[in-house]
Amino acid sequence: MAHVAFVRSIVAHARITGIDTTEAEALPGVRRVFTADSPALMGLGLRAKSALPRYVETEQPALARGVVRFVGEAVAAVVADDRYLAEDGAELVVVDDEPLGVSIRAWDPPAAPLHHQAPDNVLVHRVFERGDPETILSQAHTVVRRSLITNRHAGNPLECRATVALWDDHDHLTLWSGTQIPHLVRNILAELLGVSESNVRVIAPDVGGGFGVKAVLYPEDLAICAMARTMVGTPLKWVEDRVEHLHAATHARDHRYDVTAGFAEDGELVALDVDAWCNVGAYSVSPWTAGIEPLMAGGLFTGPYRLDHYRCEVRGVATNTSPSGPYRGVARPATVFAMEAILDSGARALGMSGAEIRRRNLIRPTDIPYRMPTGLVDDSGHYLECLEQALDIIGYDALVAEQARRRAANDKPLGIGFAVYNELTGLGRAASAGPRMPFRTGHEACTVRVNPDGKLVVLSGVTSQGQGLETTLAQVVADAVGVGYDHVEVRYGDTNESLWGFGAFSSRQAVIAGGAASTAAVAVRDQILELAADLYEANRDDLRLSDGRIMVVGSPQPIGSLADLARVAYLESNRLPKGHSPGLEATRFYDPVLGAFAGGAQVAAVEVDTATGELTVLDWVCVEDSGRVINAQIVEGQVMGSLAQGLGGALYEHLVYDRDGNLVTGTLLDYLMPSGAETPEFRLGHLEHPADNPLGVRGVGEGGTLGPAAVLAGAVADAIGLEIDRLPITPSRLWVLLHEGNR
Amino acid sequence: MKPAPFRYERPTTLEEAVSLLAGDEEAKLIAGGQSLLPLLSLRLARPSVLVDLDGIDELTAINLDPAGSVVRFGAMVRHHISASQTHHPLVADAAGWIGHTAIRSRGTIGGSLAHADPAAELPAVALALDATMHVLGPRGARSVPASNFFVGTFQTALAADELLVDVDFPIPRRWGFAEVARKHGDFALVLVVAAELQDGWRLVAGGLGGTPIRLTAAEAALDAGVDPAEAGAAAQSAVDPVAHLHASSAYLAAMAGTLVTKALANVSVDTRNRDR
């Protein structure tokens, strides 16, 4: 094995005038040094594609070619006997450059174009429009405006990215990768490297944490595969370190929303006008494109609220920062913050409570199917029930009384914050059409196979980031077939084993992979019972499979077992009844076509220390409609984890670039992650309104992240009477706000 | 994030350590490594040889002087030991604020003082108590008062070839400690040590600049009999902190005042020896 270290740019935007690798190549232990000019990498780059009319396609080279566009971009790669030597070699590579103008904020005038195809740096631009918001706003009883800025985050899984690439002498590539999307990676790599897909095997055994940042095909992956191809038989290994992760893995949530909302006297939201800027970083991320955040921002801004008159103009603007990509909640934590903030402003202007204005505007079950102003169809409508349950659990009336008592006594201020949201989960081919990419992520394949010993293997295209997918899918298949849970082995994350899967993102695994597993399992059960009926000369409709035994309805004694049947199906074809072929196996694709909206509500009570600007969470309740719960512990774990992650984003996590494009939060000393000590005791409630899919499930992977910024900002504003327009909410900022007020 | 090449030595006596340090200009001591190892990994520190003090047993002693008024801590006393020892309650309080369990298990009192992070707990305690640093080098032993020891950000009076052997911490009559940090276990945004010595109150703040600083105006006000809130106000108006990523200057100054008040409002009293 040989080890790779990348030489990364220390300047944010510059023309490369020369790269001198001679000293590095001379270092003992260094085997090869690659740049964009190396034959293996010549012309190699990622191109995220979309057919949207105002999308500008650009290229992200495997290693920077001619120009560097952000601090941390890989400029050269050193291959050495171990990682220490590789890093020693990387230090010796000399990059000469001529500086170019640096842009770091999406809403500032561009300093210099990053890509010649987009002179204004706007890579994607779209206007969502319905009704006549301009007229309605001009006539509205009350109009409120907010300008809200959200903070750039990193995904920061405990386990960073990792890649090992090995080519054999028949031009076969095996890539061990911590990727959430192994089949897509195979598909794109095969095309870019000019080999058949059957020559590429991607193995993603235990991905580690992902949160979306590993659902991206990175230039480093492409570079390593291309470099390894020139070193047949030598596996090339690279494990991202934390500094690389913070600098060069995808970022998210660096947005600004200028929001104008019109309300009727009774609190009805009548019109909404939004201008949004999303900082998409230096490149359009593969394969999701620079549209991933802006399109989600505009497409779902209004969330679970009824609205007829809507305009939202979104821009994805390139800057000299690390590319933005998918990250748990994709833009929704930012847009929920903005949407809830404008509702809170409306409530204050109208003298209503935060609870009341939400009750007034939420989509109701009677509105379902509700066509949202952007055309998405809401199948849920259970938002008010989520909110009411959350208010009930937290004891809303008592909190309001306590707040009044504290105000009267001049005691530490207490605020109550709300977030009601919907997350579009398990997106089928229609729901995933928005970005107009050259693929639709609506489906997933699953194979359920009975082995000759009667035990089951499930081959799924999902990947696991620790969500317990093995458990969930084993439960689904065991229940559908009628065998013991321990007799089901789930295998995933290997493109040579499963037929096809898009992988883990968009809270889709339970809905889509679960749907495929369930459908395939039902088909296998039918095969088993049909074989049993003919073999045992029984009526098919009277047969049941329970715990691996073939039962006749009404009789306590089994007439056979799955193990017996499997033996016949595989080993004793002489005993197969007429019309039966050997084997017991089914492969099914499942696509829900639309998606399943998962509703949720969060309410929290927060105390503000006006002397220090510190917050204390007194109580926090989250109620989500997860549809049918397959495994309660797994669902609760997902919700708890996403709440903690959302809280981290609201209070601690912030990637800060200085005006020269240097990342000043390049280690965990300054990029603050929440720990157990920062995480309050969240209390959960559950609704189980089944969705229209085989298992009745709704995705729960992301919803929790949507609420905390809105909840905390709303609670602080409620406590101190000053609006929070910027995230994160830090003690210093809050103290300044308390002492200087809203400027 | 792999360190540049270095040699590694693990002496078992002070003399051996001093001679290793003197033998190579680029040599660097390592104690618990909680700050040095990240610096090595980031290649911000590039010593030619690391001299590990872990094998020198005599550096781990804690001794109370016969009069019961000063505690001598060996430089290699780990924070978790400092936090649980009972000879010096203020050092114990302050050490409990350092990092997390894993960090306290490795980090040492001498390492923290010699590293001199401006927002670290123990340098502020040392300054507040007029601690005395005992230093050994090729030119022999010397003692440095805390007031001369902290020179600037990560800079001390230690010469490159000197090592910190042990530190004398006087026991105050009364003391208070208060801190605000962004997160549990982080370095402080601001911390304040209040300690009553023989000659009056000492108030020291960390996190406001390159070194811990004495809040002399607030000390004088306190000795003149003002209440904790007034002492806090005096502290706040006398400091001019350097703003950084996590806090504005005005906020840091306000915290200096708030924490002076808080530390003084929650003073502990050493009841073990009322004669002092």
Side-chain angles (χ1 to χ4, degrees), chain A residues 698-711:
Chain A
R698 302 177 190 273
V700 292
E702 301 169 90
T705 62
L706 272 52
V711 164

Side-chain angles (χ1 to χ4, degrees), chain A residues 298-568:
Chain A
L300 263 168
F301 191 94
T302 56
Y305 300 103
R306 285 186 297 230
L307 185 65
D308 294 328
H309 301 277
Y310 175 68
R311 181 191 156 275
C312 180
E313 182 168 1
V314 295
R315 307 151 187 86
V317 184
T319 65
N320 298 108
T321 61
S322 190
S324 294
Y327 172 47
R328 202 175 195 178
V330 183
R332 294 285 288 130
T335 56
V336 170
F337 164 65
M339 185 67 196
E340 299 293 301
I342 203 78
L343 283 175
D344 284 336
S345 294
R348 263 190 292 280
L350 291 162
M352 298 175 77
S353 76
E356 204 46 49
I357 200 161
R358 289 169 174 83
R359 286 185 182 116
R360 180 70 191 78
N361 288 292
L362 286 167
I363 298 165
R364 304 294 179 101
T366 47
D367 298 328
I368 298 303
Y370 182 81
R371 198 173 169 78
M372 298 165 70
T374 55
L376 288 166
V377 177
D378 189 336
D379 67 313
S380 164
H382 302 293
Y383 311 111
L384 187 62
E385 194 181 346
C386 288
L387 176 63
E388 298 294 358
Q389 192 181 118
L391 292 171
D392 188 47
I393 293 174
I394 205 165
Y396 179 60
D397 294 339
L399 279 176
V400 171
E402 169 63 8
Q403 182 180 51
R405 187 199 66 75
R406 287 180 181 224
R407 280 183 184 153
N410 207 16
D411 214 342
K412 273 190 180 173
L414 178 154
I416 305 164
F418 306 87
V420 190
Y421 49 85
N422 55 2
E423 174 75 0
L424 179 50
T425 73
L427 284 72
R429 61 176 169 267
S432 61
R436 303 276 298 277
M437 295 177 294
F439 54 90
R440 290 285 172 88
T441 59
H443 55 271
E444 197 78 13
C446 185
T447 299
V448 174
R449 178 181 298 157
V450 182
N451 276 338
D453 64 358
K455 296 190 176 158
L456 272 63
V457 175
V458 179
L459 305 173
S460 172
V462 299
T463 59
S464 180
Q465 289 79 53
Q467 314 94 319
L469 252 295
E470 305 90 326
T471 303
T472 303
L473 290 184
Q475 270 184 257
V476 166
V477 170
D479 288 354
V481 175
V483 297
Y485 167 84
D486 291 333
H487 289 186
V488 180
E489 186 190 335
V490 176
R491 293 197 210 146
Y492 53 74
D494 183 341
T495 57
N496 272 18
E497 285 212 322
S498 62
L499 175 58
W500 179 263
F502 280 101
F505 51 88
S506 300
S507 300
R508 65 191 295 282
Q509 304 209 104
V511 177
I512 306 181
S518 168
T519 315
V522 166
V524 166
R525 183 202 58 201
D526 289 347
Q527 287 176 21
I528 294 165
L529 292 181
E530 276 154 25
L531 176 59
D534 289 346
L535 197 64
Y536 301 132
E537 295 179 345
N539 185 340
R540 157 72 179 82
D541 294 337
D542 294 339
L543 295 181
R544 300 285 181 273
L545 188 53
S546 169
D547 202 17
R549 298 169 307 168
I550 311 295
M551 311 295 291
V552 180
V553 172
S555 161
Q557 289 301 320
I559 58 167
S561 73
L562 177 54
D564 298 338
L565 291 170
R567 185 170 173 82
V568 171

Side-chain angles (χ1 to χ4, degrees), chain A residues 83-84 87-88 91 241-243 611-614 651-652 656 664-665 667 669-670 672-675 677-678 729-732 735-736, chain B residues 1-5 41-43 46 100 179-187 189 236 245-248 250-251 254-255 258-259 262:
Chain A
R83 177 67 178 256
Y84 291 83
E87 292 194 18
D88 292 347
E91 279 192 319
D241 64 37
R242 188 63 60 186
V243 171
T612 64
E614 292 173 306
L651 300 183
Y652 301 103
V656 180
V664 295
T665 52
T667 72
L669 202 60
D670 285 315
L672 306 179
M673 296 290 290
S675 71
E678 280 70 49
I729 308 165
T730 71
S732 176
W735 185 89
V736 170
Chain B
M1 276 177 58
K2 303 291 185 197
S41 293
L42 293 164
R43 300 195 175 207
R46 310 180 65 114
H100 304 277
E179 176 171 325
V180 284
R182 285 298 312 276
K183 280 173 48 189
H184 174 80
D186 270 14
F187 278 107
L189 286 177
Q236 179 173 354
L245 184 64
H246 297 295
S248 67
Y251 177 75
M255 288 312 98
T258 299
L259 294 177
K262 191 172 171 187

Side-chain angles (χ1 to χ4, degrees), chain B residues 6-246:
Chain B
F6 59 83
R7 285 187 298 115
Y8 175 82
E9 299 284 354
R10 193 172 186 275
T12 53
T13 66
L14 278 173
E15 293 66 32
E16 211 186 328
V18 168
S19 102
L20 283 164
L21 204 51
D24 190 331
E25 271 183 26
E26 301 296 318
K28 181 101 185 139
L29 296 172
I30 182 165
Q34 297 305 290
S35 296
L36 182 56
L37 286 178
L39 292 173
L40 289 172
S41 293
L42 293 164
R43 300 195 175 207
L44 294 172
R46 310 180 65 114
S48 55
V49 53
L50 270 192
V51 179
D52 189 346
L53 299 177
D54 196 44
I56 305 174
D57 291 341
E58 64 188 282
L59 291 178
T60 59
I62 301 176
N63 289 301
L64 182 66
D65 78 329
S69 60
V70 175
V71 183
R72 176 167 292 185
F73 287 83
M76 287 296 287
V77 172
R78 311 276 175 187
H79 297 319
H80 74 102
I81 300 292
S82 294
S84 58
Q85 53 80 33
T86 53
H87 295 304
H88 201 299
L90 171 54
V91 168
D93 275 2
W97 281 85
I98 300 171
H100 304 277
T101 303
I103 291 169
R104 292 194 294 272
S105 300
R106 293 295 305 168
T108 66
I109 198 164
S112 174
L113 294 169
H115 183 60
D117 188 295
E121 287 80 4
L122 294 174
V125 171
L127 183 61
L129 296 179
D130 275 344
T132 304
M133 321 291 182
H134 301 292
V135 171
L136 187 64
R139 294 166 301 284
R142 64 182 180 118
S143 296
V144 185
S147 54
N148 292 340
F149 188 76
F150 302 104
V151 176
T153 308
F154 303 123
Q155 289 177 311
T156 68
L158 283 169
D161 58 2
E162 285 182 319
L163 86 87
L164 181 59
V165 177
D166 44 36
V167 187
D168 287 341
F169 282 97
I171 299 175
R173 289 175 178 161
R174 296 188 287 173
W175 69 91
F177 186 95
E179 176 171 325
V180 284
R182 285 298 312 276
K183 280 173 48 189
H184 174 80
D186 270 14
F187 278 107
L189 286 177
V190 183
L191 64 88
V192 164
V193 183
E196 191 183 23
L197 306 184
Q198 301 281 6
D199 57 350
W201 278 98
R202 290 298 179 83
L203 294 169
V204 168
L208 302 183
T211 66
I213 55 165
R214 277 183 62 180
L215 305 167
T216 47
E219 287 176 359
L222 201 56
D223 287 336
V226 303
D227 67 18
E230 290 167 309
Q236 179 173 354
S237 59
V239 296
D240 183 20
V242 182
H244 54 74
L245 184 64
H246 297 295

